[in-house]
């Protein structure tokens, strides 16, 4: 079984709809991240969390919110989806500290906003 | 200026060729360096960390030049399975997050 899972894997929604992307991990890591990837733009950090009570904005947090429900779960919400939020979204985890810098990514969620 | 810059490619090479990718970073306080590999429509995965003294893992060699602020990745004896996008990744001292380059695409042909 995969260590980092994301649901749904694909989603089509309409402008103005609220949607939630979910991420779960079995690696026992404290740190979790949400990224989006657009063609030609690389990975951009949306939000990150270093433990259940810690939430931090990344470089492109506008239009997004997150919830860290448990150590193993980190959800990303789009309160009112817009077409330029069409992208590939990745969740990632890491163990923290210098020896835990490696990030492990989930398989991604492809989101299309019409 | 982007924090981490890479030639987007694609680099088209025949099997068996040696290919090198370079990456430059703008923040002199950058402390940790990595190469990730991303297959088409898949998630990124760590290929190797980059150490100051340079390091090798089989056919892959990574080097760091702090004075010039660049990182390189050399792939020898390219295989078809090496076709992927290679992401240069940097962590700045005092920060706990990573900055990803846009990636360099490699296409290895028979």
């Amino acid at each position: 079984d995969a260590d980092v899972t994301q649901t749904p894997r694909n989603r089509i929604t309409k402008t103005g709809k609220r949607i939630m992307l979910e991420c779960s991990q079995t690696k026992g890591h404290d740190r979790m991240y949400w990224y989006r990837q657009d063609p030609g733009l690389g990975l951009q950090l949306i939000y990150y969390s270093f433990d259940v009570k810690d939430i931090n904005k990344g470089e492109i947090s506008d239009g997004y919110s997150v919830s860290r429900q448990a150590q193993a779960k980190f959800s990303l919400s789009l309160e009112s989806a817009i077409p330029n939020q069409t992208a590939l979204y990745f969740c990632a985890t890491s163990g923290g500290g210098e020896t835990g810098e490696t990030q492990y990514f989930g398989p991604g969620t492809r989101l299309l906003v019409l | 200026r982007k924090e981490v810059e890479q030639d987007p490619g694609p680099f088209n090479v025949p099997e068996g060729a040696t290919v090198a990718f370079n990456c430059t970073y703008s923040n002199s306080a950058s402390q940790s360096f990595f190469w990730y590999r991303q297959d088409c429509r898949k998630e990124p995965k760590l290929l190797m960390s980059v150490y100051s003294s340079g390091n090798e893992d089989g056919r892959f060699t990574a080097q760091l030049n702090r004075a010039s602020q660049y990182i390189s990745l050399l792939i020898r004896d390219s295989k078809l399975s090496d076709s992927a996008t290679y992401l240069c990744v940097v962590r700045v001292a005092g920060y706990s997050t990573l900055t990803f380059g846009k990636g360099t695409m490699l296409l290895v042909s028979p």
Side-chain angles (χ1 to χ4, degrees):
Chain A
D1 289 340
D3 294 320
V4 185
T5 57
Q6 292 183 233
T7 56
R9 293 294 311 280
N10 296 279
R11 178 74 183 267
I12 300 173
T13 191
K14 294 182 179 179
T15 297
K17 293 291 187 182
R18 181 182 187 276
I19 66 163
M20 180 182 290
L21 309 184
E22 306 206 23
C23 177
S24 294
Q25 53 111 349
T26 58
K27 299 188 76 66
H29 287 165
D30 287 326
R31 300 184 175 192
M32 298 187 74
Y33 312 81
W34 275 105
Y35 294 91
R36 67 176 278 175
Q37 188 173 40
D38 299 87
L41 291 182
L43 283 161
Q44 297 175 278
L45 183 62
I46 306 172
Y47 271 96
Y48 60 103
S49 168
F50 286 171
D51 65 41
V52 174
K53 297 181 180 180
D54 176 73
I55 300 290
N56 305 280
K57 292 183 177 181
E59 51 192 297
I60 55 160
S61 58
D62 288 348
Y64 302 94
S65 63
V66 290
S67 172
R68 185 79 184 267
Q69 302 96 319
Q71 186 207 35
K73 296 184 182 296
F74 193 34
S75 300
L76 176 71
S77 293
L78 287 68
E79 297 300 327
S80 180
I82 56 176
N84 77 0
Q85 291 177 313
T86 293
L88 178 56
Y89 290 84
F90 287 108
C91 173
T93 74
S94 70
E98 288 200 10
T99 58
E101 289 183 307
T102 301
Q103 291 191 9
Y104 298 86
F105 286 79
T109 295
R110 294 192 174 275
L111 176 65
L112 173 61
V113 183
L114 301 175
Chain B
R1 181 181 176 186
K2 297 295 183 183
E3 291 188 44
V4 179
E5 292 202 59
Q6 299 181 247
D7 182 338
F11 283 52
N12 287 282
V13 303
E15 271 186 294
T18 295
V19 60
F21 306 136
N22 290 324
C23 164
T24 58
Y25 58 94
S26 60
N27 193 325
S28 60
S30 296
Q31 187 173 51
S32 304
F33 309 90
F34 313 89
W35 284 100
Y36 276 67
R37 170 193 168 127
Q38 185 173 21
D39 292 321
C40 187
R41 302 172 74 87
K42 299 286 190 179
E43 71 272 24
K45 293 182 180 179
L46 178 68
L47 177 66
M48 59 196 303
S49 301
V50 186
Y51 303 120
S52 296
S53 56
N55 48 300
E56 188 174 304
D57 182 3
R59 298 181 293 108
F60 298 83
T61 300
Q63 297 210 320
L64 169 64
N65 184 320
R66 287 189 184 271
S68 301
Q69 296 185 197
Y70 83 77
I71 309 150
S72 65
L73 177 67
L74 182 77
I75 305 176
R76 293 181 299 279
D77 189 22
S78 298
K79 311 292 184 189
L80 295 176
S81 57
D82 293 335
S83 296
T85 296
Y86 291 84
L87 307 175
C88 177
V89 184
V90 168
R91 184 181 70 83
V92 174
Y95 288 83
S96 302
T97 57
L98 302 178
T99 300
F100 288 77
K102 295 180 182 180
T104 298
M105 183 182 291
L106 171 66
L107 300 172
V108 182
S109 55

